[in-house]
Amino acid sequence: MPETLSPLGLRTREPGPVIAPLLARPDDLERLLDDDGLAAWIADELMTPGAVLSPTAIDDAPAAPAIGRTAITTMMRHTLRDAHPLVARFLPVELRAEAALSGAGTAAHARLEQGARLLARLIAHYWAAVRTAYPQAWSDRDGHLLFSREGLTALSRFGAEVITARVSRHEILPEYFVTAMQPVAERVPLARASRPALAPHPAADQLLAELVAALRGADAETAAGQFPVRATWGSTASPISAPWDSPASPHSPS
């Protein structure tokens, strides 16, 4: 699948099935100007037919309560809050201010939406990797806590950790997210029978701590097993180029 270079400096492949491509919508501008609106915008993207968090993708247990738009928007808020440095990088305050002044359909609006779509794609890659790493938990909602209140809270916040780590390693393609999640799933079970009986908030905090420890341990083991590579971007990672407006960027205005 071909890669493209976004104006935000990330090399990425064309959109995959985890998030449905949509045309630009001028009325979306207002929602992209703050993080609450951005969370709702990304939730809508990830709930479109065929996307990773669409109703048909997660409502495999008819007896379980549906995971609706409100819950998924809250999930996105958790992720965006804990990944705030990435939000600030892809949708900088200055760009939001410029888009607010210039209005819908302008170049600033297009750049803002591109940053939002990139964030949405990274979050979609993460949840697709969760589904791959925890297939039983995804389909058996009664026996596992993935889609419980504490599970969704912990995994949404953990998403910020995974996405930030992958971006910092220049590993933003879907397979890298799966590779990151597989050892985590081996170390942290989500079966209700294997979890301590705690109230939702302490349960979410404990699960998050276990997930983060597992990810960092797996990443440390991977790094320790690699030979040093004297290359700007590593041998197999998808690179991140210089920031769009930096002098090193080929897109920087002369």
Side-chain angles (χ1 to χ4, degrees):
M1 187 176 293
E3 291 186 339
T4 58
L5 178 64
S6 78
L8 297 164
L10 289 178
R11 292 187 184 278
T12 182
R13 292 178 179 173
E14 294 300 323
V18 294
I19 179 169
L22 297 175
L23 298 176
R25 300 182 297 265
D27 57 317
D28 282 340
L29 174 58
E30 186 173 347
R31 294 203 294 169
L32 300 179
L33 297 179
D34 62 71
D35 287 354
D36 282 342
L38 176 63
W41 190 92
I42 292 176
D44 286 347
E45 293 282 295
L46 270 60
M47 291 183 71
T48 55
V52 66
L53 295 180
S54 65
T56 56
I58 61 177
D59 286 346
D60 293 329
I67 307 298
R69 182 177 182 274
T70 298
I72 293 178
T73 299
T74 300
M75 292 160 56
M76 298 305 110
R77 288 196 185 104
H78 284 309
T79 303
L80 294 176
R81 181 190 63 201
D82 286 10
H84 181 71
L86 288 184
V87 176
R89 174 180 177 179
F90 297 149
L91 288 85
V93 173
E94 298 81 3
L95 180 58
R96 281 174 158 174
E98 181 183 350
L101 288 174
S102 59
T106 61
H109 177 201
R111 291 171 59 199
L112 196 65
E113 185 165 316
Q114 187 170 24
R117 288 189 184 280
L118 180 53
L119 276 173
R121 189 176 304 172
L122 293 172
I123 295 172
H125 289 343
Y126 164 69
W127 280 104
V130 170
R131 180 176 59 192
T132 299
Y134 287 104
Q136 289 185 314
W138 193 276
S139 60
D140 179 14
R141 290 171 56 182
D142 293 330
H144 298 76
L145 53 70
L146 194 160
F147 288 110
S148 67
R149 176 182 175 186
E150 58 268 34
L152 289 176
T153 299
L155 283 158
S156 297
R157 295 190 62 188
F158 181 56
E161 182 84 13
V162 173
I163 293 166
T164 299
R166 301 284 67 79
V167 171
S168 70
R169 288 167 171 259
H170 323 304
E171 299 173 349
I172 62 168
L173 300 178
E175 52 266 34
Y176 290 115
F177 286 80
V178 174
T179 299
M181 285 302 304
Q182 285 175 334
V184 172
E186 293 171 1
R187 300 175 188 209
V188 184
L190 296 182
R192 292 184 185 275
S194 65
R195 304 299 308 175
L198 298 172
H201 284 295
D205 290 343
Q206 179 166 325
L207 177 56
L208 175 61
E210 292 178 21
L211 291 166
V212 170
L215 176 69
R216 293 179 179 176
D219 280 350
E221 290 175 5
T222 300
Q226 291 177 341
F227 292 103
V229 177
R230 291 184 175 276
T232 306
W233 301 114
S235 59
T236 61
S238 177
I240 302 178
S241 69
W244 175 253
D245 292 323
S246 75
S249 171
H251 306 286
S252 178
S254 58

